[in-house]
Amino acid sequence: MTKSLQFALLLLLACPLKAQVVTFDGQVRHRSEFDDRGLTDTGEAYLFHLLRTRLGVTAQPSEHVSAYVQIQDSRMFGSEDPSQAQGTLDASADQLDFHQAYLGLEMPGVDGLSARVGRQVLAYGNQRLIGEVGWSNVGRTFDGAVLKLHRHGVTADLFAAQLVAPSQMPGSQNLFGFYTMLDINDDHTVDIYGFLDNNTDTLTGGPDAGDDRLMRFTPGLRAHGSADAFDYEVEAIYQTGQIATGDDSPRSSISAYALSADAGYKAGAARFAAGYALLSGDSSPSDAETNTFIPLFPTGHAYYGFLDYFPLLSGSNGVQDARLTVASAIGRSLRVQLDGHHFAAATSTAGISRSFGQELDLVLTFNGSAMRGRALDGFQLSAGASVFLPGSRLESVLGTDPTWWVFLMSSVSF
């Protein structure tokens, strides 16, 4: 552990001495995975164990001022330095860091207006574009500032974040955006948003020398809600701007889009749903226009299958995902969900099938907090299995045999 982090931990423990209100939260989460997805160099299945530990403290020294610090340790079993008694005496804690550290301010006299500055989670809408990636053993946070307004049925965020500082590269990488949710009534909401990400590293040669490497704008519109036993969500996203692939490459214009639609019906303890998502691809990658949709910083695990093949393996072809879901509660504390996906390329290639393949994901979740008497309050256990049947478009990458993946995850949250 570095001296700077040791000092920060001492400050964290000292917070209760100054603040009027102090609360703590935390989580210890373990996950075992048996991975036969075929993405490793050896192509062999392997078993590994992940541990994530989080400890957070909120301090509120006054009515309108607060601060939040969250420390996280993320590691894989057996990843310590083997020269330190085969890892058993390694105390370097390379994976210990501040996951979040921000100050908050509620504007006196302006109802519903607040600001946050520092390292923080940003998660908007269904998280198809910007999400916290809670499944990850690390999770995603941003270094930046958020101005939030919440009043009269309107929630609006305006934010700016720095992704890569100039000290790490010649230019910088930044993300700016707004996200607005408008409550039409108690059951229906419309989201309007736009995100701008840019890379200010200037091109050193070619026809666009001196210009930024990337300037991309992603506006979107999302409508979601429910009516009796039915629920729905539709979303349309567009991308425009300019991008260069090399230091002296000419910039190409960006024209890409994403569409999604989901509908569900609840019958007793069960829910049945169907959905479709399309991320555009580029049928002519060598021309002066880029048509492949880039989903920015998504929580994709929840949407494009638990095997996390897509959109990674679709490349510039884009991807279509047709999904069916059946989920049901079993008693008070158990829930089972089965997802079926059919993946296909968004662009066509003469003589080649569009089919990427089919995936089945089965997950069983036990929530101890839902038990009668709350005897296992804070404890959650989930297990799942996924299988993928490669289509002809991916046989050269994954082979013809089914691939699969299994996990068992437990956590205690407080």
Side-chain angles (χ1 to χ4, degrees), residues 122 129-130 141-145 159-178 194-202 212-218 242 296-297:
L122 297 180
L129 288 179
I130 297 182
T141 55
F142 295 83
D143 297 329
F159 69 87
Q162 187 162 58
L163 308 176
V164 180
S167 60
Q168 302 297 319
M169 55 179 287
S172 63
Q173 293 184 21
N174 310 289
L175 178 66
F176 308 95
F178 70 90
F195 307 123
L196 176 68
D197 65 310
N198 78 310
N199 182 339
T200 65
D201 185 10
T202 55
D212 289 349
R213 183 184 293 268
L214 168 67
M215 182 66 70
R216 178 170 51 208
F217 181 54
T218 307
Q242 291 185 312
L296 300 182
F297 305 95

Side-chain angles (χ1 to χ4, degrees), residues 10-32:
L10 291 175
L11 289 179
L12 180 62
L13 295 174
C15 282
L17 300 177
K18 296 292 185 180
Q20 294 179 358
V21 178
V22 174
T23 57
F24 292 89
D25 64 83
Q27 183 188 71
V28 178
R29 190 183 77 177
H30 169 265
R31 182 168 74 240
S32 296

Side-chain angles (χ1 to χ4, degrees), residues 219-264:
L221 181 68
R222 172 176 174 250
H224 52 103
S226 61
D228 297 325
F230 293 91
D231 60 85
Y232 71 92
E233 177 185 299
V234 292
E235 188 167 22
I237 314 168
Y238 184 68
Q239 282 185 336
T240 185
Q242 291 185 312
I243 185 173
T245 58
D247 290 338
D248 55 0
S249 301
R251 296 194 302 177
S252 60
S253 60
I254 300 171
S255 180
Y257 63 90
L259 303 171
S260 66
D262 295 89

